[in-house]
Amino acid sequence: MDEGEQRSQRHVRRTVSMLGACLATTSAGTVYLFSTYGPALSHRLGLSSSQSNVVAISANYGLLLSGPLFGWAADTIGPRVLSLIAAVGSFTAFTALAYTYSGAWQMPSWLILSLYMVLVGLSAQSANMAAVTTTTKNFKQNRGSAVSLCIAFFGLSPFVLSHVNTVFFAGDEPDTFGYLRFLSFLGLVTSVAAAGCLKVVGFGPSRYASVPPGFVVDRPPSSSSSSGLLSDRDDESVYGAVKAASTTVREVGEGSAGSSTTAEPAPVNVASNGVDYDTARDLGGWAYVNDVEARLLMLVLFLCAGIGIFYNNNIGTMVNAMYYSSTPHPEARTAQRLINHHVAVVSLGSFVGRLTIGIVADMCKRIWRLPRSGILVVITACVLVSQLVVISATTLPSLLVGSACTGLSYGFTFGFVPTLVSVWFGTRHFGANWGVTTVFTGFSGQMLGAVFGRVYDANLPDRDPAQCPQGSCYRAAFGLAVAVAVGSVVAAAVLAKRRARRRRDNRRRWEAEEIEHVEYVPFVLAE
C-alpha cells in the first residue's frame, strides 16, 4: 500500500474515531442534567436545599475524583472498554433514580441518592476520558480545534436533552420518571455505539526523525491495537525536532535512513525561525504533580470549574426563587419550563465556549503567536465577569444573561485546559495527567454549593421560594464566587509570567545551541 492510500485510510479511521468521541461525550453530558430533574426529585422525597446540594455534587465527585483512574485506563487499556463501562454504569444509575423517584424502590436514607449520582459521575468520566484521550492522541497540529469539538458535545448534550424534557416530559404534570428512564437508555445506546468507533490512530509519520541530544520525544504509548491503542510500529518516528526551517535533517521513509534533505518551510503556527518554544515536556506521574506550572494550572481549573459546577447544580433553585417570588399565581409547569430554559442556555453557552475556544486559540497561536498562557488569563477574566453579572441579577431575564455568561466561560475553561495539558506536558501520559488536573475541582464546587445551601436555608427556613424577592435569599453566596474568580485571574497571571520566562530561556538556549539544557521539544509536524 502506497503512502497516499495509508494517509487516506488514516483519515477515515480518524474521522470515525472522532464521531465515536462525540457520541461518548454526548453520553457524558448527562452528568450536568441534575437541575432538570433535581427539583422534582427533591420535592417528591422531601429533601432540604442542603441535602439536594449534597446529592447534586455527588455526581461531580464521581466524575472528577475518578479522573486519574479512568485517565490511566485510557492510556493503557484503550477507549473501548471504558465506553462499555460507561454504558452499563449510566443505564444502572438513571434506572435506579427513576424507580426511587416513583416509589417502587424504597429509600432507607436520602444518602442512597448520592450513591446513584456518584455512579452517574463515574459513567460520565469513563466516557469522557475515552473520548478526550483518543482525540488528543489522534491530532497534533489542530489539536485545540479537535479537542474543542469533542468536548463541545459534552456541553451541548444538556442543551439538547433539556429541550427534550420540555417538549416530551414537562406537561401539566411533569413526567420525571419517564425522563429518567429515557436518560438511562440514551447512555446505554450512545456509549455502546462509541465503543465501536473509538480507536487511537495516531498522528501519522513526520518528515523529521532526527532529534538533537538532550531532547525528549513525545510519543503515544505502545500497546496492542486490539484495545484501541496504537501498535508498536505506529509508535515510531511520530515527532522530530529542527532548529530552524532550513536545518538539514534525516528524512523518514524506506531506504532513506542515511540520506539527508532540507526541510520544507515551517508551518505558520511556529515561530519565524521554524521553532515553537512553547511545546511539550514529557511529564507524567509524580513528575507532573510536583511541577510548579502543572500545580498552577490545576489551581486555575480548580477555581474556575468549581464556579461552573456550583452554578449548574443550583440554577434550578435560583430560577424557582425568582419565579415564585415575582409571579402572583405561579404554576409548576411554567417553573419547570423556565428551569429547562436556563439549563439549556447554560449548556448552549458551554457548547459554544468549548467549540470556539480551541479554534480561536489555534488561530491566535498560528497567526499572531499569542502565547497560550495569555489566552488562559483572558478566560479567567471572563469567569469573573460572568459572576459579576449573576450577583447583580434581580430579574429572570437578567439572570438568563448570567446563565449564558457562566456557561460560556465554563466552556472556555474546559475546552482550553485539556489542550494546555497535552501541549505543555506531552501526550504519552495525557489521560492520567488530565485526570489528576480535574480531580480536585469537585471540592471547590462542593464548597460553593455548601455556602449556597446554608445561605438559602438560613434566609428561607420554611423553604418557601415565594419569600425570596429578586434573589435576595441566595445573593450573598455569589460574593464568595466573585472572590474565587478573582483568585483564578491572579493564579493565571502568575502562570503566564512563568511561561513567558520559560519561553525566553528556551529560545536563548536553543539559539546558543545549548541543547542539553532545553526542557521543551521544538518540533515541526508533517501534517
mmCIF file with all atom_site columns, all heavy atoms in Angstrom, residues 41-65:
data_model
loop_
_atom_site.group_PDB
_atom_site.id
_atom_site.type_symbol
_atom_site.label_atom_id
_atom_site.label_alt_id
_atom_site.label_comp_id
_atom_site.label_asym_id
_atom_site.label_entity_id
_atom_site.label_seq_id
_atom_site.pdbx_PDB_ins_code
_atom_site.Cartn_x
_atom_site.Cartn_y
_atom_site.Cartn_z
_atom_site.occupancy
_atom_site.B_iso_or_equiv
_atom_site.pdbx_formal_charge
_atom_site.auth_seq_id
_atom_site.auth_comp_id
_atom_site.auth_asym_id
_atom_site.auth_atom_id
_atom_site.pdbx_PDB_model_num
ATOM 1   N N   . LEU A 1 41 ? -37.271 15.746 42.045 1.00 0.00 ? 41 LEU A N   1
ATOM 2   C CA  . LEU A 1 41 ? -36.804 14.647 42.887 1.00 0.00 ? 41 LEU A CA  1
ATOM 3   C C   . LEU A 1 41 ? -36.740 15.081 44.348 1.00 0.00 ? 41 LEU A C   1
ATOM 4   O O   . LEU A 1 41 ? -37.178 14.348 45.251 1.00 0.00 ? 41 LEU A O   1
ATOM 5   C CB  . LEU A 1 41 ? -35.427 14.196 42.397 1.00 0.00 ? 41 LEU A CB  1
ATOM 6   C CG  . LEU A 1 41 ? -34.827 12.929 43.005 1.00 0.00 ? 41 LEU A CG  1
ATOM 7   C CD1 . LEU A 1 41 ? -35.621 11.707 42.590 1.00 0.00 ? 41 LEU A CD1 1
ATOM 8   C CD2 . LEU A 1 41 ? -33.369 12.784 42.580 1.00 0.00 ? 41 LEU A CD2 1
ATOM 9   N N   . SER A 1 42 ? -36.200 16.271 44.586 1.00 0.00 ? 42 SER A N   1
ATOM 10  C CA  . SER A 1 42 ? -36.078 16.774 45.952 1.00 0.00 ? 42 SER A CA  1
ATOM 11  C C   . SER A 1 42 ? -37.446 17.007 46.579 1.00 0.00 ? 42 SER A C   1
ATOM 12  O O   . SER A 1 42 ? -37.667 16.703 47.761 1.00 0.00 ? 42 SER A O   1
ATOM 13  C CB  . SER A 1 42 ? -35.264 18.074 45.961 1.00 0.00 ? 42 SER A CB  1
ATOM 14  O OG  . SER A 1 42 ? -33.963 17.862 45.459 1.00 0.00 ? 42 SER A OG  1
ATOM 15  N N   . HIS A 1 43 ? -38.385 17.541 45.796 1.00 0.00 ? 43 HIS A N   1
ATOM 16  C CA  . HIS A 1 43 ? -39.737 17.792 46.315 1.00 0.00 ? 43 HIS A CA  1
ATOM 17  C C   . HIS A 1 43 ? -40.444 16.484 46.645 1.00 0.00 ? 43 HIS A C   1
ATOM 18  O O   . HIS A 1 43 ? -41.086 16.358 47.703 1.00 0.00 ? 43 HIS A O   1
ATOM 19  C CB  . HIS A 1 43 ? -40.533 18.586 45.287 1.00 0.00 ? 43 HIS A CB  1
ATOM 20  C CG  . HIS A 1 43 ? -41.949 18.850 45.709 1.00 0.00 ? 43 HIS A CG  1
ATOM 21  N ND1 . HIS A 1 43 ? -42.272 19.773 46.689 1.00 0.00 ? 43 HIS A ND1 1
ATOM 22  C CD2 . HIS A 1 43 ? -43.133 18.303 45.285 1.00 0.00 ? 43 HIS A CD2 1
ATOM 23  C CE1 . HIS A 1 43 ? -43.583 19.788 46.854 1.00 0.00 ? 43 HIS A CE1 1
ATOM 24  N NE2 . HIS A 1 43 ? -44.128 18.907 46.021 1.00 0.00 ? 43 HIS A NE2 1
ATOM 25  N N   . ARG A 1 44 ? -40.342 15.503 45.750 1.00 0.00 ? 44 ARG A N   1
ATOM 26  C CA  . ARG A 1 44 ? -41.016 14.215 45.967 1.00 0.00 ? 44 ARG A CA  1
ATOM 27  C C   . ARG A 1 44 ? -40.471 13.501 47.208 1.00 0.00 ? 44 ARG A C   1
ATOM 28  O O   . ARG A 1 44 ? -41.236 12.881 47.958 1.00 0.00 ? 44 ARG A O   1
ATOM 29  C CB  . ARG A 1 44 ? -40.829 13.324 44.735 1.00 0.00 ? 44 ARG A CB  1
ATOM 30  C CG  . ARG A 1 44 ? -41.327 11.888 44.878 1.00 0.00 ? 44 ARG A CG  1
ATOM 31  C CD  . ARG A 1 44 ? -42.847 11.816 44.966 1.00 0.00 ? 44 ARG A CD  1
ATOM 32  N NE  . ARG A 1 44 ? -43.484 12.243 43.721 1.00 0.00 ? 44 ARG A NE  1
ATOM 33  C CZ  . ARG A 1 44 ? -43.797 11.433 42.736 1.00 0.00 ? 44 ARG A CZ  1
ATOM 34  N NH1 . ARG A 1 44 ? -43.551 10.125 42.853 1.00 0.00 ? 44 ARG A NH1 1
ATOM 35  N NH2 . ARG A 1 44 ? -44.379 11.877 41.653 1.00 0.00 ? 44 ARG A NH2 1
ATOM 36  N N   . LEU A 1 45 ? -39.168 13.609 47.431 1.00 0.00 ? 45 LEU A N   1
ATOM 37  C CA  . LEU A 1 45 ? -38.534 12.878 48.535 1.00 0.00 ? 45 LEU A CA  1
ATOM 38  C C   . LEU A 1 45 ? -38.317 13.744 49.775 1.00 0.00 ? 45 LEU A C   1
ATOM 39  O O   . LEU A 1 45 ? -37.748 13.273 50.763 1.00 0.00 ? 45 LEU A O   1
ATOM 40  C CB  . LEU A 1 45 ? -37.200 12.293 48.066 1.00 0.00 ? 45 LEU A CB  1
ATOM 41  C CG  . LEU A 1 45 ? -37.312 11.332 46.874 1.00 0.00 ? 45 LEU A CG  1
ATOM 42  C CD1 . LEU A 1 45 ? -35.937 10.866 46.430 1.00 0.00 ? 45 LEU A CD1 1
ATOM 43  C CD2 . LEU A 1 45 ? -38.188 10.130 47.227 1.00 0.00 ? 45 LEU A CD2 1
ATOM 44  N N   . GLY A 1 46 ? -38.713 15.032 49.719 1.00 0.00 ? 46 GLY A N   1
ATOM 45  C CA  . GLY A 1 46 ? -38.650 15.900 50.890 1.00 0.00 ? 46 GLY A CA  1
ATOM 46  C C   . GLY A 1 46 ? -37.249 16.304 51.304 1.00 0.00 ? 46 GLY A C   1
ATOM 47  O O   . GLY A 1 46 ? -36.957 16.385 52.506 1.00 0.00 ? 46 GLY A O   1
ATOM 48  N N   . LEU A 1 47 ? -36.403 16.598 50.352 1.00 0.00 ? 47 LEU A N   1
ATOM 49  C CA  . LEU A 1 47 ? -35.031 16.996 50.661 1.00 0.00 ? 47 LEU A CA  1
ATOM 50  C C   . LEU A 1 47 ? -34.936 18.500 50.897 1.00 0.00 ? 47 LEU A C   1
ATOM 51  O O   . LEU A 1 47 ? -35.617 19.281 50.217 1.00 0.00 ? 47 LEU A O   1
ATOM 52  C CB  . LEU A 1 47 ? -34.086 16.608 49.520 1.00 0.00 ? 47 LEU A CB  1
ATOM 53  C CG  . LEU A 1 47 ? -34.049 15.144 49.098 1.00 0.00 ? 47 LEU A CG  1
ATOM 54  C CD1 . LEU A 1 47 ? -33.004 14.950 48.010 1.00 0.00 ? 47 LEU A CD1 1
ATOM 55  C CD2 . LEU A 1 47 ? -33.769 14.231 50.282 1.00 0.00 ? 47 LEU A CD2 1
ATOM 56  N N   . SER A 1 48 ? -34.072 18.900 51.828 1.00 0.00 ? 48 SER A N   1
ATOM 57  C CA  . SER A 1 48 ? -33.785 20.321 52.018 1.00 0.00 ? 48 SER A CA  1
ATOM 58  C C   . SER A 1 48 ? -32.819 20.787 50.929 1.00 0.00 ? 48 SER A C   1
ATOM 59  O O   . SER A 1 48 ? -32.277 19.978 50.170 1.00 0.00 ? 48 SER A O   1
ATOM 60  C CB  . SER A 1 48 ? -33.165 20.561 53.393 1.00 0.00 ? 48 SER A CB  1
ATOM 61  O OG  . SER A 1 48 ? -31.867 19.986 53.459 1.00 0.00 ? 48 SER A OG  1
ATOM 62  N N   . SER A 1 49 ? -32.600 22.103 50.855 1.00 0.00 ? 49 SER A N   1
ATOM 63  C CA  . SER A 1 49 ? -31.666 22.631 49.855 1.00 0.00 ? 49 SER A CA  1
ATOM 64  C C   . SER A 1 49 ? -30.255 22.101 50.091 1.00 0.00 ? 49 SER A C   1
ATOM 65  O O   . SER A 1 49 ? -29.541 21.767 49.138 1.00 0.00 ? 49 SER A O   1
ATOM 66  C CB  . SER A 1 49 ? -31.670 24.165 49.895 1.00 0.00 ? 49 SER A CB  1
ATOM 67  O OG  . SER A 1 49 ? -30.756 24.699 48.963 1.00 0.00 ? 49 SER A OG  1
ATOM 68  N N   . SER A 1 50 ? -29.851 22.000 51.350 1.00 0.00 ? 50 SER A N   1
ATOM 69  C CA  . SER A 1 50 ? -28.510 21.483 51.655 1.00 0.00 ? 50 SER A CA  1
ATOM 70  C C   . SER A 1 50 ? -28.386 20.021 51.253 1.00 0.00 ? 50 SER A C   1
ATOM 71  O O   . SER A 1 50 ? -27.370 19.597 50.686 1.00 0.00 ? 50 SER A O   1
ATOM 72  C CB  . SER A 1 50 ? -28.208 21.645 53.150 1.00 0.00 ? 50 SER A CB  1
ATOM 73  O OG  . SER A 1 50 ? -28.166 23.018 53.509 1.00 0.00 ? 50 SER A OG  1
ATOM 74  N N   . GLN A 1 51 ? -29.412 19.219 51.545 1.00 0.00 ? 51 GLN A N   1
ATOM 75  C CA  . GLN A 1 51 ? -29.390 17.808 51.150 1.00 0.00 ? 51 GLN A CA  1
ATOM 76  C C   . GLN A 1 51 ? -29.383 17.662 49.626 1.00 0.00 ? 51 GLN A C   1
ATOM 77  O O   . GLN A 1 51 ? -28.652 16.831 49.072 1.00 0.00 ? 51 GLN A O   1
ATOM 78  C CB  . GLN A 1 51 ? -30.588 17.087 51.747 1.00 0.00 ? 51 GLN A CB  1
ATOM 79  C CG  . GLN A 1 51 ? -30.545 16.923 53.246 1.00 0.00 ? 51 GLN A CG  1
ATOM 80  C CD  . GLN A 1 51 ? -31.846 16.397 53.826 1.00 0.00 ? 51 GLN A CD  1
ATOM 81  O OE1 . GLN A 1 51 ? -32.921 16.582 53.235 1.00 0.00 ? 51 GLN A OE1 1
ATOM 82  N NE2 . GLN A 1 51 ? -31.769 15.753 54.988 1.00 0.00 ? 51 GLN A NE2 1
ATOM 83  N N   . SER A 1 52 ? -30.175 18.488 48.953 1.00 0.00 ? 52 SER A N   1
ATOM 84  C CA  . SER A 1 52 ? -30.210 18.449 47.490 1.00 0.00 ? 52 SER A CA  1
ATOM 85  C C   . SER A 1 52 ? -28.853 18.809 46.894 1.00 0.00 ? 52 SER A C   1
ATOM 86  O O   . SER A 1 52 ? -28.421 18.226 45.894 1.00 0.00 ? 52 SER A O   1
ATOM 87  C CB  . SER A 1 52 ? -31.284 19.402 46.969 1.00 0.00 ? 52 SER A CB  1
ATOM 88  O OG  . SER A 1 52 ? -31.339 19.384 45.560 1.00 0.00 ? 52 SER A OG  1
ATOM 89  N N   . ASN A 1 53 ? -28.143 19.752 47.541 1.00 0.00 ? 53 ASN A N   1
ATOM 90  C CA  . ASN A 1 53 ? -26.809 20.119 47.082 1.00 0.00 ? 53 ASN A CA  1
ATOM 91  C C   . ASN A 1 53 ? -25.832 18.965 47.216 1.00 0.00 ? 53 ASN A C   1
ATOM 92  O O   . ASN A 1 53 ? -24.988 18.744 46.345 1.00 0.00 ? 53 ASN A O   1
ATOM 93  C CB  . ASN A 1 53 ? -26.295 21.333 47.868 1.00 0.00 ? 53 ASN A CB  1
ATOM 94  C CG  . ASN A 1 53 ? -26.394 22.617 47.074 1.00 0.00 ? 53 ASN A CG  1
ATOM 95  O OD1 . ASN A 1 53 ? -25.702 22.804 46.085 1.00 0.00 ? 53 ASN A OD1 1
ATOM 96  N ND2 . ASN A 1 53 ? -27.296 23.488 47.492 1.00 0.00 ? 53 ASN A ND2 1
ATOM 97  N N   . VAL A 1 54 ? -25.936 18.230 48.316 1.00 0.00 ? 54 VAL A N   1
ATOM 98  C CA  . VAL A 1 54 ? -25.055 17.080 48.519 1.00 0.00 ? 54 VAL A CA  1
ATOM 99  C C   . VAL A 1 54 ? -25.308 16.029 47.445 1.00 0.00 ? 54 VAL A C   1
ATOM 100 O O   . VAL A 1 54 ? -24.365 15.454 46.872 1.00 0.00 ? 54 VAL A O   1
ATOM 101 C CB  . VAL A 1 54 ? -25.250 16.478 49.924 1.00 0.00 ? 54 VAL A CB  1
ATOM 102 C CG1 . VAL A 1 54 ? -24.486 15.168 50.058 1.00 0.00 ? 54 VAL A CG1 1
ATOM 103 C CG2 . VAL A 1 54 ? -24.795 17.463 50.991 1.00 0.00 ? 54 VAL A CG2 1
ATOM 104 N N   . VAL A 1 55 ? -26.585 15.773 47.150 1.00 0.00 ? 55 VAL A N   1
ATOM 105 C CA  . VAL A 1 55 ? -26.926 14.797 46.115 1.00 0.00 ? 55 VAL A CA  1
ATOM 106 C C   . VAL A 1 55 ? -26.388 15.254 44.761 1.00 0.00 ? 55 VAL A C   1
ATOM 107 O O   . VAL A 1 55 ? -25.790 14.478 44.008 1.00 0.00 ? 55 VAL A O   1
ATOM 108 C CB  . VAL A 1 55 ? -28.449 14.587 46.052 1.00 0.00 ? 55 VAL A CB  1
ATOM 109 C CG1 . VAL A 1 55 ? -28.821 13.712 44.857 1.00 0.00 ? 55 VAL A CG1 1
ATOM 110 C CG2 . VAL A 1 55 ? -28.949 13.955 47.346 1.00 0.00 ? 55 VAL A CG2 1
ATOM 111 N N   . ALA A 1 56 ? -26.582 16.526 44.443 1.00 0.00 ? 56 ALA A N   1
ATOM 112 C CA  . ALA A 1 56 ? -26.145 17.050 43.143 1.00 0.00 ? 56 ALA A CA  1
ATOM 113 C C   . ALA A 1 56 ? -24.632 16.986 42.984 1.00 0.00 ? 56 ALA A C   1
ATOM 114 O O   . ALA A 1 56 ? -24.117 16.574 41.941 1.00 0.00 ? 56 ALA A O   1
ATOM 115 C CB  . ALA A 1 56 ? -26.635 18.485 42.976 1.00 0.00 ? 56 ALA A CB  1
ATOM 116 N N   . ILE A 1 57 ? -23.924 17.396 44.025 1.00 0.00 ? 57 ILE A N   1
ATOM 117 C CA  . ILE A 1 57 ? -22.468 17.457 43.913 1.00 0.00 ? 57 ILE A CA  1
ATOM 118 C C   . ILE A 1 57 ? -21.850 16.065 43.921 1.00 0.00 ? 57 ILE A C   1
ATOM 119 O O   . ILE A 1 57 ? -20.698 15.887 43.493 1.00 0.00 ? 57 ILE A O   1
ATOM 120 C CB  . ILE A 1 57 ? -21.874 18.311 45.063 1.00 0.00 ? 57 ILE A CB  1
ATOM 121 C CG1 . ILE A 1 57 ? -20.490 18.860 44.684 1.00 0.00 ? 57 ILE A CG1 1
ATOM 122 C CG2 . ILE A 1 57 ? -21.769 17.513 46.351 1.00 0.00 ? 57 ILE A CG2 1
ATOM 123 C CD1 . ILE A 1 57 ? -20.515 19.856 43.572 1.00 0.00 ? 57 ILE A CD1 1
ATOM 124 N N   . SER A 1 58 ? -22.597 15.059 44.376 1.00 0.00 ? 58 SER A N   1
ATOM 125 C CA  . SER A 1 58 ? -22.071 13.696 44.381 1.00 0.00 ? 58 SER A CA  1
ATOM 126 C C   . SER A 1 58 ? -21.735 13.224 42.971 1.00 0.00 ? 58 SER A C   1
ATOM 127 O O   . SER A 1 58 ? -20.776 12.478 42.767 1.00 0.00 ? 58 SER A O   1
ATOM 128 C CB  . SER A 1 58 ? -23.080 12.741 45.022 1.00 0.00 ? 58 SER A CB  1
ATOM 129 O OG  . SER A 1 58 ? -23.294 13.059 46.379 1.00 0.00 ? 58 SER A OG  1
ATOM 130 N N   . ALA A 1 59 ? -22.525 13.657 41.992 1.00 0.00 ? 59 ALA A N   1
ATOM 131 C CA  . ALA A 1 59 ? -22.223 13.299 40.607 1.00 0.00 ? 59 ALA A CA  1
ATOM 132 C C   . ALA A 1 59 ? -20.878 13.880 40.188 1.00 0.00 ? 59 ALA A C   1
ATOM 133 O O   . ALA A 1 59 ? -20.100 13.229 39.485 1.00 0.00 ? 59 ALA A O   1
ATOM 134 C CB  . ALA A 1 59 ? -23.327 13.802 39.681 1.00 0.00 ? 59 ALA A CB  1
ATOM 135 N N   . ASN A 1 60 ? -20.608 15.101 40.640 1.00 0.00 ? 60 ASN A N   1
ATOM 136 C CA  . ASN A 1 60 ? -19.327 15.718 40.303 1.00 0.00 ? 60 ASN A CA  1
ATOM 137 C C   . ASN A 1 60 ? -18.165 15.042 41.011 1.00 0.00 ? 60 ASN A C   1
ATOM 138 O O   . ASN A 1 60 ? -17.059 14.962 40.460 1.00 0.00 ? 60 ASN A O   1
ATOM 139 C CB  . ASN A 1 60 ? -19.364 17.204 40.645 1.00 0.00 ? 60 ASN A CB  1
ATOM 140 C CG  . ASN A 1 60 ? -20.374 17.971 39.810 1.00 0.00 ? 60 ASN A CG  1
ATOM 141 O OD1 . ASN A 1 60 ? -21.408 18.395 40.311 1.00 0.00 ? 60 ASN A OD1 1
ATOM 142 N ND2 . ASN A 1 60 ? -20.101 18.118 38.536 1.00 0.00 ? 60 ASN A ND2 1
ATOM 143 N N   . TYR A 1 61 ? -18.400 14.546 42.229 1.00 0.00 ? 61 TYR A N   1
ATOM 144 C CA  . TYR A 1 61 ? -17.355 13.777 42.907 1.00 0.00 ? 61 TYR A CA  1
ATOM 145 C C   . TYR A 1 61 ? -17.036 12.512 42.109 1.00 0.00 ? 61 TYR A C   1
ATOM 146 O O   . TYR A 1 61 ? -15.875 12.160 41.911 1.00 0.00 ? 61 TYR A O   1
ATOM 147 C CB  . TYR A 1 61 ? -17.798 13.395 44.321 1.00 0.00 ? 61 TYR A CB  1
ATOM 148 C CG  . TYR A 1 61 ? -17.638 14.504 45.333 1.00 0.00 ? 61 TYR A CG  1
ATOM 149 C CD1 . TYR A 1 61 ? -18.569 14.701 46.339 1.00 0.00 ? 61 TYR A CD1 1
ATOM 150 C CD2 . TYR A 1 61 ? -16.542 15.360 45.285 1.00 0.00 ? 61 TYR A CD2 1
ATOM 151 C CE1 . TYR A 1 61 ? -18.437 15.721 47.271 1.00 0.00 ? 61 TYR A CE1 1
ATOM 152 C CE2 . TYR A 1 61 ? -16.397 16.378 46.204 1.00 0.00 ? 61 TYR A CE2 1
ATOM 153 C CZ  . TYR A 1 61 ? -17.336 16.561 47.196 1.00 0.00 ? 61 TYR A CZ  1
ATOM 154 O OH  . TYR A 1 61 ? -17.189 17.562 48.101 1.00 0.00 ? 61 TYR A OH  1
ATOM 155 N N   . GLY A 1 62 ? -18.083 11.800 41.696 1.00 0.00 ? 62 GLY A N   1
ATOM 156 C CA  . GLY A 1 62 ? -17.843 10.612 40.886 1.00 0.00 ? 62 GLY A CA  1
ATOM 157 C C   . GLY A 1 62 ? -17.128 10.946 39.592 1.00 0.00 ? 62 GLY A C   1
ATOM 158 O O   . GLY A 1 62 ? -16.235 10.217 39.149 1.00 0.00 ? 62 GLY A O   1
ATOM 159 N N   . LEU A 1 63 ? -17.512 12.059 38.972 1.00 0.00 ? 63 LEU A N   1
ATOM 160 C CA  . LEU A 1 63 ? -16.906 12.484 37.707 1.00 0.00 ? 63 LEU A CA  1
ATOM 161 C C   . LEU A 1 63 ? -15.440 12.842 37.882 1.00 0.00 ? 63 LEU A C   1
ATOM 162 O O   . LEU A 1 63 ? -14.575 12.383 37.124 1.00 0.00 ? 63 LEU A O   1
ATOM 163 C CB  . LEU A 1 63 ? -17.686 13.673 37.153 1.00 0.00 ? 63 LEU A CB  1
ATOM 164 C CG  . LEU A 1 63 ? -17.137 14.323 35.883 1.00 0.00 ? 63 LEU A CG  1
ATOM 165 C CD1 . LEU A 1 63 ? -17.435 13.451 34.680 1.00 0.00 ? 63 LEU A CD1 1
ATOM 166 C CD2 . LEU A 1 63 ? -17.746 15.711 35.691 1.00 0.00 ? 63 LEU A CD2 1
ATOM 167 N N   . LEU A 1 64 ? -15.141 13.645 38.878 1.00 0.00 ? 64 LEU A N   1
ATOM 168 C CA  . LEU A 1 64 ? -13.815 14.259 38.969 1.00 0.00 ? 64 LEU A CA  1
ATOM 169 C C   . LEU A 1 64 ? -12.813 13.425 39.763 1.00 0.00 ? 64 LEU A C   1
ATOM 170 O O   . LEU A 1 64 ? -11.647 13.331 39.381 1.00 0.00 ? 64 LEU A O   1
ATOM 171 C CB  . LEU A 1 64 ? -13.945 15.656 39.578 1.00 0.00 ? 64 LEU A CB  1
ATOM 172 C CG  . LEU A 1 64 ? -14.844 16.602 38.754 1.00 0.00 ? 64 LEU A CG  1
ATOM 173 C CD1 . LEU A 1 64 ? -15.158 17.866 39.539 1.00 0.00 ? 64 LEU A CD1 1
ATOM 174 C CD2 . LEU A 1 64 ? -14.204 16.931 37.426 1.00 0.00 ? 64 LEU A CD2 1
ATOM 175 N N   . LEU A 1 65 ? -13.263 12.802 40.846 1.00 0.00 ? 65 LEU A N   1
ATOM 176 C CA  . LEU A 1 65 ? -12.322 12.024 41.648 1.00 0.00 ? 65 LEU A CA  1
ATOM 177 C C   . LEU A 1 65 ? -11.873 10.758 40.935 1.00 0.00 ? 65 LEU A C   1
ATOM 178 O O   . LEU A 1 65 ? -10.811 10.210 41.238 1.00 0.00 ? 65 LEU A O   1
ATOM 179 C CB  . LEU A 1 65 ? -12.948 11.674 42.997 1.00 0.00 ? 65 LEU A CB  1
ATOM 180 C CG  . LEU A 1 65 ? -13.250 12.845 43.925 1.00 0.00 ? 65 LEU A CG  1
ATOM 181 C CD1 . LEU A 1 65 ? -13.844 12.359 45.237 1.00 0.00 ? 65 LEU A CD1 1
ATOM 182 C CD2 . LEU A 1 65 ? -12.000 13.681 44.191 1.00 0.00 ? 65 LEU A CD2 1
#
